[in-house]
Amino acid sequence: MNNWYSVRMRASLHDKHISGGETLVPATRIHEVVNYLQQKAFSHSRGVPTNCHITIEAITEPLVPITMLKVNETHCHTPLHALTDFITSHGISEIALKQAIQLLHANTNLRGAALLHATTGARLDLLANRGVRVTRIAYDAPFLEKWCTQFPQYANARIEEALLLASAVASCDGIIGELCISDDPTYTTGYFGSAVSGYTRIHHMKKQGEECGGRVFFVKGNTDIEETITYLQQKPLLVCR
Ligand code: WAQ
Ligand code: MG
């Protein structure tokens, strides 16, 4: 094994979540990533943090290789019912989708993601405002480099990070979809992620200036929730193909 480390950052302004970030890196890149995460925390449009925690932890198990989702575009004026049809075609009920949209537009942001039952829409994790945080994920560097030259229109840190997370979530048994809106008041594009349909960008998911946002993972009935949370929070995953 290549001496991998998990590096995680979380920043808050008193009780308000400002920014978070996480990646896996070989020992030689810890310095660079700590620097990047510190800058990310202190240049966020949600505010200047009063607290910033950075954790560095050695990974003791082999990384699991996973596949990157393909990017699809929806057009700006896709009517809401078309989007609803698209999302519900994955086995997500309209009730669950409504619950998700309500959660993503609430004033209190989670630090992580909420797990919702794909049929009933009930919240399945008991992590309240914390939510489930997917943490041990990284790209294989040569793979990412090649991808960036193929898709220069998507080659920026925000989309790369979102695609990494969406690919990790889609690789989890029991999760049939993910809906995401950035909590950044200046960024209004979100996405729906799924192992079946890929990473579908959705524009204008909220109004400019709104601080709401978050992530919802839709879980199939009869899924072991503890196992799902352990996979998402602990399993070291490497997007490499
Ligand atoms: N694990 C679980 N949930 C997370 C994680 C994580 N590692 N990181 C962020 N979240 C949740 C948390 O509730 C945040 O408030 C919310 O997601 C949004 O995070 O193709 O920037 O980092 O142009 O603001 C989508 C890009 C960008 C769309 C999403 O999310 C596109 C984005 P942010
Ligand atoms: Mg953000």
Side-chain angles (χ1 to χ4, degrees), residues 108-138:
T108 48
N109 302 58
L110 304 188
R111 254 203 286 139
L115 297 186
L116 296 192
H117 191 292
T119 314
T120 66
R123 177 93 185 255
L124 297 174
D125 64 279
L126 301 171
L127 298 167
N129 288 341
R130 182 173 170 275
V132 179
R133 195 90 194 170
V134 184
T135 53
R136 299 176 179 194
I137 50 178

Side-chain angles (χ1 to χ4, degrees), residues 22 110-113 132-134 158-159 162 165 180-184 187 189-191 199 201 214-215:
E22 43 271 301
L110 304 188
R111 254 203 286 139
V132 179
R133 195 90 194 170
V134 184
R158 184 188 299 272
I159 295 181
L165 198 144
C180 166
I181 305 182
S182 172
D183 56 20
D184 188 326
Y187 201 81
T189 300
Y191 68 84
Y199 175 96
R201 305 184 73 211
R215 280 180 159 94

